[in-house]
Amino acid sequence: MNEPSIQAVGLTKRFGSFTALDSLNLNVEGSKCVGFLGPNGAGKTTTLKLFTDLIRPSSGEALVNGVNVHTRKKKALESVGTLIETPEIYPSLTPREALTMVAETRGVPAAERKKRIEDVVTEVRMDEWVDKRVGKFSKGMKQRINIAAALLSDPRIFLLDEPTTGLDPRGMSEVRDIVKSLKGKQRLIFMSSHLLSEVTDICDEVAMIDHGKLLVYDTLSNVTSRFSGGENIVEVGFLRPLDGGVNGRIASGVPGVTSAERVDDRTLRIRFNGGASTQERLLSNLVGMNLGVISYKPASSALEDVYLNLIKDTK
Amino acid sequence: MIALSSTQAESANRVPSSLTQVRVTMKYTFLDYFRSRRFFILLAIVLLISSALTIVIGYYRPPGLLSSDLSFYSSWWGISAVLLTALFGIFFGGDAISGEFQNKTGYFSLSHPVRRSSVYIGKWLAAFLASSIILVVFTAVTLGNGVYYFGLSLPYQFGEAVLFTWFYLVAVLGSTFFFSSLFKTSSYAILVTAVLFLFAFNLIQLLVASFAQLEPWFILTYGSQIIGNVLSTQYPPHVTTVRFGPEGRALTAYNATIPEGLVIIAAYFIVTAILGLVLFERKEFT
């Protein structure tokens, strides 16, 4: 089976004299999570709406698995789970009924429907509410049902527009876990977000857009290193509180490291030059120092720096 | 988490035919209508009208109305059916499409592998079904009263009037869905539909016939005259001219013939259904 893919070819959307999306060329292929970033009005939601045929392109094409979404929507979206804005569900339906409607529309086999609905409802922690009418639900509860609807047919591609919008911190965390688990199941996730920490936490690649133009599309580590003068930033978490001199020991004793700042008594933000091999050496050195390393991840502030620089440049 | 592999999921799901998707949309939209306040309000209006007519006729026994079975059905059905059908259109059709945009339910129903035409037709069928249920209640009450006063022998004209009403309902819903597709704001769509069907069409029809002395063949409510006219003892003439005043000014009244009425109703449905569908296909979720 071919790798799942979404592709924008010269994709342009104009609303009167305003160009919301300007000749977007983007090819995302394979099993990964791509964070789609940009300020308000940059063209993120417009792009996702074009990929779901909620709006028509002024020119260019939106392709899913090589199929044009506008001219062959049924074929193009057959293996795509979507969450665009915060959809409303017919208020007098229960989540079970709304999800059955989605399952029947998408052709989930009758014998599997009940089980799958129960699975996705459990996944989004809405078991207790599955037979209550949606009309009285909060925005966050509706968003959970919308996420369940996107998961229901177990598609290969997910197009998610700020999926954690309206959720409480626990809900946000749960959705991130869901997205992470999808990555493990060989899915392609294309997700817009305002939350840089969220993208850093769960995405492998990042695409940035502003004024309808694509600014960059690359792996997270390449983007952060390419736009920060080759410098990478990682946040390292430790099991035990760190002693006062550890920053200096890391900064001076580990090759490539330019600085090590203390974020709190168990977290360091380490800046270093170099690519994957330097990272490997850094991590192995840190482990070798017996400091009790328990986490190691690219710092969201690095992405934030890149984001702010790129967005500033396009103003 | 669902435990299917990507390959299994791909092979397990087969997006159904558009016809099946029409049925799915119809089923759940109807469920939504059936549980909604609007359904019960309409049902209450129908029961209120039916009860009022039952009580008034039972108490006063108006001789003109009870002079024959035809005049009974003419007074009961001929007066109420067209108004009720307009209300069905306003209640079930007014915001059927515009609501998908305003309430954002379209983001839920249309971001799947489904054609917009399937959703449009499914919603139309749901509105037709919901309206038909209430119309059946009104028909049953009418028949109950008719049988009470005149026994089981029903005039065939009543059957025709009922059929024409259902036919008119098809066109009214076609038209209201079209107006609903024009707007993204439900209140505008409902307002325009209500004004047109409750006032504007009748007013235009009157002005065109009386003052321009033209046959208002292009007005849907003109076609709907056949519902009441078919229950007349003698079907009214196509054109009637009354002269009045010292100068003998002519006032012309037109009555649609049955074939003419059917053609007007059918044409309204066909034209508005096509236009409404095209509008919905082209409308964007901005």
Side-chain angles (χ1 to χ4, degrees):
Chain A
M1 184 169 288
N2 293 333
E3 290 269 59
S5 71
I6 62 168
Q7 195 179 5
V9 184
L11 196 57
T12 302
K13 181 63 188 174
R14 282 184 288 273
F15 296 104
S17 59
F18 173 67
T19 303
L21 199 62
D22 192 358
S23 296
L24 177 71
N25 288 297
L26 180 67
N27 188 9
V28 181
E29 198 172 359
S31 308
K32 60 180 84 160
C33 176
V34 180
F36 195 36
L37 297 171
N40 291 329
K44 301 186 299 294
T45 301
T46 299
T47 306
L48 287 164
K49 283 181 180 175
L50 286 164
F51 271 103
T52 43
D53 198 40
L54 291 170
I55 56 175
R56 291 185 309 279
S58 303
S59 61
E61 290 181 310
L63 307 170
V64 174
N65 292 328
V67 180
N68 187 312
V69 175
H70 182 56
T71 55
R72 294 177 67 202
K73 181 187 174 188
K74 267 186 90 170
K75 177 72 183 161
L77 295 188
E78 68 180 9
S79 59
V80 181
T82 63
L83 173 57
I84 311 295
E85 298 207 339
T86 304
E88 287 290 331
I89 301 163
Y90 296 138
S92 64
L93 298 187
T94 64
R96 190 188 300 280
E97 288 161 349
L99 292 171
T100 307
M101 181 176 99
V102 172
E104 289 179 19
T105 300
R106 301 192 72 107
V108 174
E112 294 174 21
R113 264 177 224 153
K114 191 167 178 284
K115 171 84 170 62
R116 284 221 217 165
I117 288 168
E118 282 168 4
D119 284 346
V120 292
V121 165
T122 303
E123 183 86 17
V124 297
R125 309 257 197 279
M126 288 292 287
D127 309 65
E128 281 179 49
W129 303 90
V130 70
D131 291 314
K132 304 271 194 299
R133 293 195 188 171
V134 173
K136 296 259 159 56
F137 283 12
S138 69
K139 191 178 175 189
M141 291 162 82
K142 287 177 191 167
Q143 189 73 335
R144 284 170 188 258
I145 300 302
N146 288 321
I147 291 164
L151 296 169
L152 188 60
S153 63
D154 201 22
R156 298 176 70 208
I157 299 173
F158 289 87
L159 300 174
L160 308 175
D161 184 20
E162 298 178 19
T164 52
T165 298
L167 297 176
D168 55 29
R170 188 177 142 196
M172 291 167 90
S173 167
E174 286 163 5
V175 169
R176 282 182 206 133
D177 288 343
I178 290 170
V179 175
K180 283 177 190 170
S181 76
L182 291 172
K183 281 169 64 180
K185 292 175 64 198
Q186 310 301 307
R187 301 298 191 258
L188 170 59
I189 304 128
F190 189 71
M191 182 182 92
S192 77
S193 178
H194 280 300
L195 304 172
L196 301 178
S197 56
E198 182 174 270
V199 170
T200 306
D201 186 27
I202 57 182
C203 291
D204 312 290
E205 296 180 350
V206 63
M208 282 191 201
I209 187 173
D210 194 21
H211 293 102
K213 285 182 183 293
L214 185 69
L215 305 177
V216 65
Y217 169 51
D218 209 333
T219 62
L220 199 53
S221 58
N222 281 350
V223 168
T224 49
S225 63
R226 182 147 49 113
F227 292 93
S228 56
E231 192 175 63
N232 289 299
I233 307 172
V234 290
E235 276 184 4
V236 186
F238 298 92
L239 182 64
R240 296 176 293 277
L242 298 165
D243 66 61
V246 74
N247 318 20
R249 290 208 301 279
I250 292 170
S252 59
V254 182
V257 172
T258 54
S259 72
E261 309 158 27
R262 188 182 287 260
V263 177
D264 56 45
D265 65 345
R266 290 170 199 244
T267 313
L268 285 180
R269 183 174 290 128
I270 300 174
R271 293 170 186 269
F272 64 96
N273 292 311
S277 58
T278 313
Q279 281 202 54
E280 187 201 2
R281 203 162 51 244
L282 171 63
L283 184 56
S284 107
N285 277 329
L286 287 169
V287 171
M289 290 167 83
N290 286 324
L291 297 167
V293 175
I294 54 169
S295 68
Y296 177 95
K297 61 179 182 183
S300 55
S301 65
L303 186 61
E304 190 173 302
D305 291 344
V306 173
Y307 177 87
L308 292 173
N309 278 327
L310 283 172
I311 300 306
K312 186 179 65 187
D313 287 348
T314 62
K315 279 186 179 168
Chain B
M1 191 69 210
I2 299 168
L4 288 176
S5 72
S6 63
T7 318
Q8 282 174 316
E10 282 290 288
S11 61
N13 299 337
R14 291 253 189 282
V15 176
S17 68
S18 293
L19 202 62
T20 305
Q21 291 180 325
V22 166
R23 188 186 55 74
V24 171
T25 305
M26 183 190 79
K27 180 172 141 189
Y28 290 96
T29 309
F30 174 72
L31 195 60
D32 186 48
Y33 282 151
F34 190 65
R35 289 174 181 168
S36 67
R37 211 174 293 159
R38 73 181 83 184
F39 183 87
F40 291 101
I41 289 173
L42 259 182
L43 195 59
I45 289 172
V46 164
L47 292 174
L48 202 68
I49 291 172
S50 303
S51 308
L53 286 170
T54 305
I55 292 165
V56 167
I57 294 170
Y59 187 77
Y60 291 105
R61 305 241 167 192
L65 195 144
L66 293 176
S67 60
S68 71
D69 53 0
L70 210 51
S71 56
F72 167 81
Y73 286 110
S74 172
S75 303
W76 188 299
W77 189 270
I79 292 169
S80 316
V82 172
L83 173 70
L84 283 178
T85 310
L87 290 180
F88 296 151
I90 296 162
F91 273 63
F92 293 124
D95 68 341
I97 301 301
S98 54
E100 293 286 313
F101 293 88
Q102 185 181 331
N103 305 330
K104 287 190 163 187
T105 46
Y107 288 92
F108 187 80
S109 55
L110 287 166
S111 57
H112 298 292
V114 59
R115 291 197 176 96
R116 288 192 182 195
S117 53
S118 302
V119 172
Y120 189 93
I121 296 167
K123 287 181 78 76
W124 188 92
L125 288 171
F128 181 73
L129 192 59
S131 304
S132 294
I133 287 175
I134 300 174
L135 201 52
V136 163
V137 172
F138 186 64
T139 311
V141 178
T142 309
L143 278 173
N145 276 273
V147 169
Y148 177 75
Y149 292 111
F150 300 100
L152 284 169
S153 66
L154 286 173
Y156 74 91
Q157 292 95 328
F158 178 65
E160 284 181 335
V162 172
L163 269 180
F164 293 163
T165 305
W166 248 279
F167 194 39
Y168 179 55
L169 173 64
V170 168
V172 167
L173 286 175
S175 302
T176 53
F177 267 60
F178 160 69
F179 290 117
S180 192
S181 301
L182 270 178
F183 301 99
K184 281 185 179 174
T185 309
S186 298
S187 51
Y188 292 161
I190 292 169
L191 192 67
V192 168
T193 310
V195 167
L196 279 176
F197 279 93
L198 298 180
F199 310 108
F201 277 160
N202 290 322
L203 189 65
I204 294 166
Q205 186 183 322
L206 184 72
L207 293 175
V208 166
S210 305
F211 298 107
Q213 297 187 354
L214 287 172
E215 185 184 1
W217 54 267
F218 45 87
I219 304 284
L220 178 58
T221 46
Y222 177 64
S224 75
Q225 283 181 342
I226 61 171
I227 295 168
N229 287 347
V230 78
L231 290 165
S232 306
T233 317
Q234 194 172 5
Y235 199 90
H238 183 48
V239 185
T240 319
T241 306
V242 181
R243 296 202 172 272
F244 67 99
E247 293 172 13
R249 290 179 67 116
L251 192 66
T252 310
Y254 292 90
N255 285 295
T257 62
I258 290 176
E260 195 182 14
L262 293 176
V263 168
I264 291 169
I265 291 170
Y268 254 86
F269 172 66
I270 293 165
V271 172
T272 55
I274 292 169
L275 287 177
L277 201 50
V278 169
L279 280 173
F280 185 51
E281 290 275 4
R282 295 189 59 78
K283 193 151 259 180
E284 300 190 304
F285 284 81
T286 49

